Structure formats: structure tokens, C-alpha cells
């Protein structure tokens, strides 16, 4: 078969070589093809559910997509409640614990997903009944176990910690808050405070209100006929009861009076994330939507031929990519343009964004660029038609959004008929180049250059969660920085004064720690071994399945790190004298022992209230690394810390939480350490600790550099 395909391709290439083609002209698109989309079968249940069926017998599988009919709710002081509820839906039911639910699902090879407003099941036709047992059990009987609620909530805490260092999350929060405000569900952003306000009872209450048959849609796709679908719908979903769906109208986006500049600081950033966004007065199925989507594609909606890519990447070389997005929703629509740019060209990039927004409102596009972009959109639409699920979703959109029955049948014709004049009209109708939200996430060094773009000359500064940024203020500390460190050392040694603490600390000659690290985004387990030998020798080694992935060695004279290369072998880096000097300033059995010796480099910022706890906040900078430690006023222990490390690739932010302190040979150590590096998080669990065991000096030897 493969040989046949190759022969056919060879013949096609040969025949093309004899054709006379004028490659100086773009190919002329043919007339829009007729689309014959079979009408799905639609029927209603007595409980208010609408069922949409699209039969396809090519594969022995069937899927059930259940979509709730309620509008989104304002959550206020409990922002994030709906997300939490959605993530907890598959945590167990009155009839099945989570493990049993997972085992039964995996046994039949089913896919089962749930969110706050939908549930989806895909299963082999022969296992349909077993799959529906699971789906309807969750739909009617989810019970949100307390243990799972606590686990997911803790996971959310780590995710929120990561937001503070992830520029894309910061940008998203700022954009939605700016476009829709907190008076709209789209503008609500979960924070540590709102998460803490959410109880299990809140989750259960929302589930009961949200998951109700009235106004809901059940989309069935696959190997099932009309009679079977009606029987399944009636038997499995017909007896489902619930209240009326929630309905509410919100603002559809706030248009600024002038260009408005919003800034979110990411300390040390070498790139700025730029997003220029504005609301669009449009709902799904609007008569202008297809024409505006063509404008979006032409301006920056994907591919290298768009205006933004040609300008900002190909011509100016400011970025690897610049894109636009048209987001049309029932409760509020918007258009945005975005990209990542070096600090030094941040203002220049904004100039070009504004230039392209202005240019598209002043003249019609060329016939060639319009034709190429329409052809790309037509091809994408045609590929989507290959999926039966797409056809069913078309029917769902028609019913939910009150679209004309032939909306999708006439899509390609409307696309083909979109003219150069239509694009100009759409631009002049929806794009106002002097009423844009210009949002920048980056280093404060670019702040002064941004003032020229604000209509009022006053830049709004937001925090990572889209709220007005407040200058961090600390309460006055009631002890000195030395006393903070001493209090910690007394706590971890279990002593009542520094004389006893020092005596116990001086007994430490070696420490060997073994831990397991599990990245939250991956099921893999990493093994980390840490060796210390007084006064300044240390080794940190990371392994996976017996392979060394990374190793760092420091002794009194030299420092080295090596990392496994993707090409095989290791990439080895030797520390400079300055880098080694900085590392040795924190080298000790416990970092705080070294900080006391270098107390002049440590600053006590004051006290801070975090999650009902009071912390002494210490900060120090050695080399290119700034570390901030949070020491619990009550226990004296270090509960959290942040590190900002400047590298050649840019700043690296690390947030750390220490918990579950336990005694090892009379010394307290955190059993669990959670680290968030940019947007990735991992949890380290101590498995073994040895004090004053024998460690061969050879492990601290460093090979000569070339």
C-alpha cells in the first residue's frame, strides 16, 4: 500500500512539472463549495433537558456531552468557587469513592471529564451502559469528600503561589479585570484570600444549584441510533430533578475613554509581555462575526503572513511571534493583540501595534492577502467538518445562541463573499485605535517609557491578580535580625538559649539527606541526595531511574554544576570566583548559621501578616541571587521563602514552602518542601537523614576545567 501511495505521488509531481504555472500570482480561489450538514436529531425531555443526537457508525464509540444551562455567577469574596467545584466533581459519589470511580472508568477504557458547567463521557459502544453508570452517578450523587476538598484546595494554594511568578497568568488576570471589572464573572480572579473563604459547604451548594436538568443540553455523538438514544436519554436522564437555571445579564466589557496603560511588575524580567485588548459589542452568531473573524485572521490570527508577524517579527525582529485573538462569548466579547518583547524594544513594539491597528482602519487590504487568509480559514473549517462531534456542537451552538438554522451551511459562502470593503468597514466599526487597553507585564525599568501611550499620562499599576498594587509595607519588628536567626536555630535544635544551640550545632560534622521529588505536572519520581561536610563542602545530586540528571558540587576552593545534555553526556559549568564566594556565604549545616556570620549583608524588612500568621521577613543578596525568608513569629521556624536569581536567560523566580517539621537525631527538619519555579511546581519529601556518618572526601572533588 505504501508503494502505491509513493507511485501516485511521483506521478502527480511529474505531471505538475509539465504544467506552465505563473508563480508570480497567488492562485485564484474557486467558488465556495456547498456544505451539506445532516441535521442532527433534536428532542426534549420532560425535565427541561434538550437532547441533540448526531449518529456516526464508523467507529464503535459513543460520547455524551452534558452542558448546563445556567449563566456564570458572581462569586465575590469566594472567587474561584466554580473552578474548585469543577475540579472536585470526580472526587467521589455517594456510591463510589474516587479510587473506585477511577478503577471502573479505566477498566472499560472510558474518558470521563467534568467542569463546573459540563460533563463529558466517551466510551466504546459495548461499554456504554457501564460508562453511563459512572457519568450519571457523578451527575446526581457527587459528594465532595472532605479529604479531597482539602487536597485540591492545597493544590490551588500552590497554583496561586505560582501566579506571582508567571507573566502569562499575571497578564490574563490583568486583562480580564481591566476589560470586565469585578462586576462581571469574567473579571473575578481567585486570590489566596478568596480561596480561604471557600468551604466544602459552598462547593456542595453550588453543585446543587448548577447541576440541574432544566435548560441543559445533552449532546450524543457516535454509534447509536435514534431509538436507542431516546431510550438512553429517558432512562438515564429523564428522572433527574433540579431547580431552574440561573440567568443574569452583565456588562459586555468596559471601553476606555482614551488609551489606557496598565502595568504589572515582574521583578528582573528581561522581556515584557504586551497585550492590547478592547471589548467588542458582539454575541455569537452576530451577522458581523464571520467578517470580523477574517479581519482578525488577516491582522494577526495565526500564521507568518499576518500583518503583525510581518511587521514585528519579519521586519523589526522584535519578537518570535505576535498574534491577535477574537473571543466571542455570550456574556462578553473582546479582541486582543499580544506578544513577548525584549525590554529595550517594549515601547517600540507598542508603537507598531498601534500603527497596525490604525492602518487597518484607514485602507482596504490587498486582494492577495485577503484571499490567502480566507483560503486558510476555509481549509480549517473544512477539516473541522470531518469530526462528527463538530456537527453536534454546531447544533448545540445553534440552539444555545438562537442562530439561524443554516448558519453553518452558509458559513463558507459568507466567508467567500467577505470583501476588501467589508474588512475596512469592520475595522472602522469595531476598532478604535485611541480607546485601547495597553497592558504590560515586565520589569519596572520600562515603566517610564510607557507613559507616552496613556491618554491621561497616568499608568495604572496592578498586582499579579489584577488588583490595584499596593506598596508593600511591613510592621515594625520587635526583635533584631540576629535574634530572628538565633530564634530559628534554637527552634531547630530544641534548645532554650544560643549557648546550648551552638554547642549542639558544632557537633554536626556531616549530613546526608535523601528525598523524593514529585513534579505536580508529572507522575515521575526524582531522587535527590544532599551531602554536607563541615565547614563548606556540599553535593546536591538529582537522579531518575538511576541516571544522574543534575549535580552540583561546592568545596572551599571551587564550585561546579553539570546537567545531562539532550544530545548525551553532560554540560559542565565551573563557578567563577565571584559565584563561589556568593555560594560560600550561605554554606553551613543550616543556612542561618552562615547568615549570622554575614549579618551585615542581611536586612530585616519587618513583620508581615500572611494567612493569620505573623512572620519576620529577612532578605539578603549574594551575587545575582536575592533571597527572602519568612520566619514564623510563634514557632521561630522558617515556613516559606522566595528567591530571585538573575541568569543569562532571564530572571528565575522560586517560591518555597516548608512544612511538617520533624525530629532527626534531635534536629528539626521540614519533611515536606514545595517549590514553585515559574509556573511549574514540585514537592520534595524527606525519606532519610543521617548526621555525622562517614562521607568519602572524593565525592567533593571537582574535575579540572578545560
Amino acid at each position: 500500500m505504501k508503494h502505491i501511495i509513493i507511485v501516485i505521488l511521483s506521478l502527480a509531481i511529474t505531471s505538475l512539472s509539465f504544467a506552465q504555472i505563473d508563480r508570480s500570482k497567488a492562485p485564484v480561489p474557486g467558488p465556495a463549495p456547498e456544505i451539506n450538514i445532516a441535521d442532527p436529531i433534536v428532542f426534549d425531555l420532560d425535565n427541561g433537558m434538550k437532547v441533540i443526537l448526531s449518529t456516526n457508525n464508523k467507529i464503535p464509540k459513543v460520547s455524551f456531552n452534558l452542558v448546563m444551562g445556567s449563566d456564570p455567577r458572581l462569586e465575590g469574596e469566594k472567587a474561584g468557587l466554580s473552578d474548585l467545584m469543577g475540579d472536585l466533581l470526580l472526587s467521589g459519589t455517594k456510591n463510589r469513592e474516587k479510587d473506585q470511580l477511577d478503577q471502573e472508568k479505566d477498566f472499560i477504557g472510558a474518558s470521563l471529564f467534568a467542569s463546573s458547567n459540563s460533563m463529558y463521557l466517551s466510551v466504546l459502544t459495548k461499554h456504554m451502559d457501564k460508562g453511563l453508570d459512572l457519568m450519571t452517578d457523578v451527575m446526581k450523587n457527587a459528594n465532595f469528600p472532605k479529604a479531597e476538598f482539602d487536597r485540591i484546595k492545597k493544590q490551588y494554594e500552590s497554583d496561586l503561589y505560582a501566579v506571582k511568578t508567571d507573566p502569562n497568568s499575571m497578564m490574563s488576570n490583568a486583562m480580564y479585570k481591566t476589560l470586565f471589572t469585578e462586576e462581571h464573572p469574567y473579571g473575578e480572579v481567585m486570590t489566596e484570600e478568596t480561596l480561604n473563604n471557600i468551604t466544602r459547604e459552598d462547593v456542595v451548594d453550588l453543585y446543587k444549584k448548577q447541576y440541574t436538568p432544566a435548560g441543559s443540553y445533552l449532546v450524543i455523538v457516535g454509534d447509536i441510533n435514534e431509538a436507542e438514544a431516546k431510550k438512553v436519554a429517558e432512562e438515564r436522564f429523564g428522572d433527574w430533578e433540579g431547580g431552574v437555571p440561573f440567568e443574569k445579564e452583565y456588562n459586555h466589557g468596559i471601553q476606555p475613554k482614551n488609551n489606557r496603560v496598565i502595568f504589572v511588575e515582574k521583578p528582573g524580567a528581561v522581556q515584557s509581555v504586551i497585550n492590547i485588548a478592547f471589548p467588542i459589542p458582539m454575541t455569537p452568531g452576530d451577522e458581523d462575526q464571520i467578517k470580523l473573524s477574517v479581519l482578525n485572521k488577516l491582522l494577526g490570527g495565526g500564521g507568518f503572513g499576518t500583518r503583525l508577524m510581518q511587521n514585528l517579527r519579519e521586519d523589526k525582529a522584535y519578537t518570535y511571534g505576535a498574534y491577535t485573538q477574537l473571543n466571542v462569548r455570550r456574556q462578553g466579547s473582546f479582541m486582543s493583540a499580544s506578544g513577548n518583547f525584549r525590554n529595550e524594544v517594549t515601547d517600540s513594539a507598542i508603537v507598531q501595534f498601534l500603527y497596525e491597528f490604525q492602518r487597518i482602519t484607514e485602507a482596504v487590504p490587498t486582494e492577495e492577502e485577503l484571499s490567502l487568509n480566507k483560503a486558510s480559514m476555509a481549509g480549517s473549517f473544512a477539516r473541522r467538518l470531518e469530526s462528527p462531534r463538530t456537527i453536534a456542537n454546531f447544533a448545540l451552538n445553534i440552539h444555545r445562541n438562537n442562530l439561524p438554522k443554516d448558519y453553518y451551511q452558509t458559513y463558507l459562502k459568507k466567508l467567500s463573499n467577505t470583501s476588501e470593503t467589508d474588512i475596512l468597514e469592520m475595522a472602522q466599526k469595531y476598532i478604535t485605535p485611541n480607546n485601547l487597553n495597553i497592558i504590560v507585564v515586565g520589569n519596572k525599568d520600562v515603566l517610564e517609557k510607557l507613559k507616552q501611550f496613556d491618554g491621561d499620562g497616568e499608568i495604572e499599576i496592578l498586582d499579579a491578580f489584577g488588583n490595584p498594587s499596593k506598596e508593600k509595607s511591613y510592621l515594625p519588628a520587635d526583635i533584631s535580625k540576629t535574634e530572628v536567626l538565633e530564634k530559628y536555630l534554637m527552634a531547630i535544635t530544641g534548645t532554650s538559649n544560643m549557648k546550648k544551640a551552638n554547642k549542639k550545632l558544632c557537633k554536626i560534622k556531616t549530613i546526608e539527606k535523601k528525598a523524593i521529588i514529585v513534579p505536580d505536572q508529572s507522575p515521575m519520581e526524582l531522587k535527590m541526595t544532599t551531602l554536607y561536610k563541615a565547614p563548606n563542602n556540599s553535593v546536591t545530586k538529582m537522579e531518575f531511574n538511576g541516571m544522574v540528571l543534575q549535580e552540583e558540587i561546592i568545596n572551599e576552593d571551587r564550585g561546579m554544576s553539570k546537567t545531562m545534555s539532550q544530545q548525551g553526556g553532560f554540560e559542565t559549568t565551573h563557578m567563577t570566583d565571584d559565584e563561589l564566594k556568593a555560594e560560600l556565604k550561605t554554606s553551613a549545616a543550616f543556612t542561618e548559621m552562615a547568615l549570622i556570620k554575614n549579618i551585615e549583608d542581611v536586612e530585616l524588612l519587618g513583620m508581615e501578616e500572611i494567612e493569620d500568621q505573623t512572620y519576620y521577613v529577612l532578605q539578603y543578596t549574594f551575587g545575582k541571587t536575592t533571597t527572602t525568608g519568612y520566619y514564623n513569629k510563634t514557632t521561630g521556624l522558617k515556613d516559606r521563602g522566595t528567591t530571585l536569581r538573575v541568569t543569562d536567560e532571564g530572571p528565575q523566580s522560586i517560591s518555597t514552602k516548608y512544612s511538617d517539621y520533624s525530629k532527626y537525631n534531635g534536629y528539626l527538619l521540614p519533611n515536606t518542601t514545595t517549590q514553585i519555579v515559574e509556573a511549574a511546581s514540585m514537592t520534595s519529601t524527606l525519606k532519610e537523614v543521617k548526621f555525622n556518618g562517614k562521607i568519602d572526601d572524593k565525592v567533593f572533588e571537582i574535575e579540572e576545567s578545560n
Side-chain angles (χ1 to χ4, degrees):
M1 184 67 180
K2 186 185 292 184
H3 176 72
I4 293 173
I5 294 172
I6 293 172
V7 170
I8 292 172
L9 286 173
S10 299
L11 290 171
I13 293 170
T14 302
S15 63
L16 283 172
S17 67
F18 288 100
Q20 298 299 312
I21 300 173
D22 184 355
R23 299 188 183 277
S24 66
K25 296 180 181 179
V28 178
E34 292 289 331
I35 299 177
N36 295 312
I37 300 176
D39 289 335
I41 297 164
V42 181
F43 57 92
D44 297 319
L45 301 183
D46 291 341
N47 59 7
M49 175 185 287
K50 187 175 292 292
V51 183
I52 300 170
L53 169 65
S54 178
T55 298
N56 184 287
N57 300 318
K58 293 181 180 178
I59 301 175
K61 292 186 74 172
V62 62
S63 68
F64 297 82
N65 186 25
L66 176 64
V67 180
M68 299 301 106
S70 291
D71 290 329
R73 292 170 167 84
L74 278 173
E75 296 171 349
E77 295 180 351
K78 299 179 188 288
L81 171 60
S82 57
D83 291 333
L84 191 60
M85 187 269 278
D87 279 347
L88 280 165
L89 266 170
L90 298 180
S91 293
T93 72
K94 295 175 183 177
N95 305 307
R96 294 172 173 86
E97 294 184 353
K98 183 180 187 303
D99 288 346
Q100 183 182 353
L101 192 64
D102 291 340
Q103 287 170 6
E104 291 188 38
K105 174 185 60 128
D106 293 342
F107 184 75
I108 60 175
S111 296
L112 181 62
F113 307 104
S115 71
S116 62
N117 69 342
S118 66
M119 193 177 300
Y120 177 77
L121 168 71
S122 177
V123 64
L124 290 172
T125 309
K126 64 181 180 180
H127 295 314
M128 181 179 69
D129 286 338
K130 292 179 181 178
L132 285 170
D133 284 344
L134 303 179
M135 180 180 188
T136 54
D137 191 19
V138 173
M139 180 185 79
K140 300 174 184 177
N141 304 310
N143 67 344
F144 308 98
K146 182 66 164 61
E148 282 298 303
F149 172 79
D150 292 340
R151 182 183 69 84
I152 296 294
K153 195 170 180 180
K154 193 172 185 65
Q155 182 178 311
Y156 270 48
E157 289 176 1
S158 297
D159 293 342
L160 288 174
Y161 218 47
V163 168
K164 299 175 183 178
T165 60
D166 179 21
N168 293 317
S169 296
M170 294 179 185
M171 173 58 72
S172 177
N173 291 340
M175 183 187 72
Y176 280 104
K177 272 281 181 76
T178 298
L179 285 171
F180 297 103
T181 77
E182 291 181 337
E183 301 302 313
H184 193 297
Y186 295 169
E188 289 190 308
V189 176
M190 180 194 288
T191 65
E192 291 172 326
E193 184 178 2
T194 65
L195 177 63
N196 288 333
N197 291 336
I198 299 172
T199 65
R200 178 184 170 277
E201 288 68 31
D202 295 324
V203 171
V204 173
D205 181 61
L206 178 60
Y207 163 69
K208 291 177 179 178
K209 292 177 180 176
Q210 186 80 348
Y211 267 74
T212 178
S216 68
Y217 299 84
L218 178 65
V219 181
I220 306 175
V221 179
D223 186 20
I224 182 172
N225 61 38
E226 181 179 355
E228 291 170 327
K230 286 184 174 179
K231 182 181 178 182
V232 165
E234 196 62 55
E235 291 180 353
R236 296 289 188 161
F237 299 90
D239 64 346
W240 184 28
E241 298 177 349
V244 297
F246 174 79
E247 294 181 353
K248 185 167 182 179
E249 187 71 21
Y250 302 98
N251 75 71
H252 281 240
I254 308 300
Q255 188 86 37
K257 294 180 180 178
N258 302 298
N259 279 349
R260 177 184 177 195
V261 177
I262 294 97
F263 179 76
V264 183
E265 183 183 2
K266 186 179 188 302
V270 296
Q271 281 193 328
S272 297
V273 181
I274 298 173
N275 185 299
I276 299 178
F278 51 96
I280 295 288
M282 179 175 288
T283 54
D286 188 287
E287 62 179 359
D288 286 342
Q289 184 175 352
I290 294 175
K291 289 182 282 190
L292 188 60
S293 67
V294 177
L295 180 151
N296 172 70
K297 180 69 172 69
L298 184 150
L299 183 59
F304 288 99
T306 66
R307 290 188 176 185
L308 287 180
M309 286 290 274
Q310 287 296 310
N311 183 332
L312 291 160
R313 175 187 166 114
E314 301 302 321
D315 184 32
K316 306 294 189 308
Y318 288 164
T319 182
Y320 286 109
Y323 307 94
T324 58
Q325 179 184 20
L326 175 62
N327 199 319
V328 179
R329 301 183 184 180
R330 298 168 67 203
Q331 296 292 339
S333 306
F334 65 91
M335 189 171 180
S336 64
S338 61
N340 294 354
F341 301 87
R342 304 187 311 276
N343 286 349
E344 57 268 27
V345 299
T346 297
D347 55 334
S348 301
I350 294 174
V351 168
Q352 296 307 316
F353 271 121
L354 297 180
Y355 165 74
E356 293 296 351
F357 275 124
Q358 184 69 46
R359 182 164 78 100
I360 205 166
T361 66
E362 293 178 340
V364 297
T366 66
E367 181 181 354
E368 181 182 12
E369 67 174 333
L370 179 59
S371 296
L372 288 173
N373 282 287
K374 288 198 299 184
S376 174
M377 293 176 66
S380 176
F381 182 80
R383 287 190 294 274
R384 290 173 62 197
L385 294 177
E386 297 172 3
S387 168
R389 189 176 173 189
T390 295
I391 307 303
N393 284 332
F394 284 170
L396 173 63
N397 290 338
I398 287 171
H399 286 279
R400 287 195 81 192
N401 301 312
N402 298 315
L403 306 183
K405 190 176 179 181
D406 65 348
Y407 181 82
Y408 292 102
Q409 278 94 336
T410 60
Y411 175 86
L412 287 181
K413 184 176 181 181
K414 292 174 183 175
L415 178 65
S416 178
N417 290 339
T418 300
S419 66
E420 294 91 336
T421 303
D422 288 332
I423 299 301
L424 181 59
E425 289 178 355
M426 291 298 98
Q428 292 174 342
K429 182 175 180 178
Y430 292 104
I431 298 176
T432 52
N434 296 313
N435 304 91
L436 306 173
N437 296 295
I438 303 168
I439 310 167
V440 178
V441 177
N443 196 312
K444 63 182 179 182
D445 291 347
V446 306
L447 201 51
E448 191 64 31
K449 297 179 180 179
L450 301 180
K451 290 181 179 179
Q452 61 182 301
F453 303 111
D454 191 278
D456 299 321
E458 294 183 7
I459 296 175
E460 299 170 59
I461 300 179
L462 305 182
D463 64 17
F465 300 98
N467 299 313
S469 181
K470 299 176 182 177
E471 190 71 34
K472 180 168 278 193
S473 59
Y474 297 95
L475 300 170
D478 52 10
I479 59 177
S480 69
K481 56 187 177 182
T482 300
E483 289 173 313
V484 173
L485 296 171
E486 289 178 342
K487 189 174 180 180
Y488 170 82
L489 293 172
M490 286 188 284
I492 57 114
T493 56
T495 56
S496 57
N497 58 61
M498 274 309 294
K499 184 176 180 180
K500 292 180 181 179
N502 281 326
K503 184 176 180 181
K504 197 168 180 179
L505 292 168
C506 287
K507 291 180 180 180
I508 301 175
K509 304 303 178 186
T510 66
I511 306 175
E512 180 178 357
K513 292 190 287 186
K514 294 182 180 180
I516 297 296
I517 296 178
V518 179
D520 289 353
Q521 294 78 14
S522 169
M524 66 189 297
E525 280 193 358
L526 304 174
K527 178 183 176 183
M528 185 172 74
T529 303
T530 305
L531 305 175
Y532 165 79
K533 187 170 186 178
N536 293 311
N537 298 309
S538 67
V539 173
T540 302
K541 182 166 60 175
M542 192 86 71
E543 299 172 273
F544 176 65
N545 282 346
M547 296 184 297
V548 177
L549 303 180
Q550 194 172 23
E551 186 175 23
E552 181 180 82
I553 304 174
I554 296 173
N555 59 41
E556 297 181 14
D557 302 315
R558 302 165 66 195
M560 178 199 75
S561 65
K562 61 179 184 180
T563 304
M564 178 180 284
S565 170
Q566 292 183 350
Q567 289 75 36
F570 288 90
E571 295 178 357
T572 302
T573 304
H574 288 79
M575 293 182 185
T576 65
D577 290 342
D578 287 342
E579 289 170 339
L580 179 62
K581 184 179 178 181
E583 290 288 343
L584 292 177
K585 287 217 171 185
T586 56
S587 181
F590 295 94
T591 300
E592 285 70 16
M593 296 168 62
L595 293 179
I596 285 180
K597 293 179 181 179
N598 297 284
I599 197 65
E600 68 279 359
D601 296 317
V602 179
E603 181 182 3
L604 175 57
L605 301 179
M607 296 190 298
E608 184 177 354
E609 300 280 348
I610 303 175
E611 298 176 4
D612 300 325
Q613 295 288 333
T614 303
Y615 293 93
Y616 297 110
V617 185
L618 293 181
Q619 190 173 85
Y620 51 91
T621 300
F622 295 135
K624 296 181 179 180
T625 302
T626 298
T627 303
T628 307
Y630 295 79
Y631 296 81
N632 193 299
K633 182 179 180 181
T634 303
T635 65
L637 296 172
K638 180 167 60 177
D639 288 352
R640 58 179 67 201
T642 61
T643 302
L644 178 64
R645 180 177 295 125
V646 179
T647 69
D648 293 339
E649 291 77 30
Q652 183 186 66
S653 301
I654 303 173
S655 300
T656 308
K657 280 191 175 183
Y658 308 94
S659 58
D660 188 21
Y661 277 85
S662 302
K663 276 192 177 182
Y664 292 89
N665 291 82
Y667 301 91
L668 275 180
L669 295 173
N671 266 332
T672 304
T673 302
T674 302
Q675 283 198 320
I676 300 166
V677 183
E678 299 302 327
S681 60
M682 59 191 72
T683 300
S684 169
T685 305
L686 271 182
K687 294 299 181 182
E688 184 180 346
V689 181
K690 290 182 182 178
F691 282 87
N692 297 326
K694 186 175 182 180
I695 299 178
D696 193 333
D697 285 338
K698 289 184 179 180
V699 301
F700 303 107
E701 293 179 357
I702 295 176
E703 60 192 56
E704 294 290 336
S705 59
N706 295 328

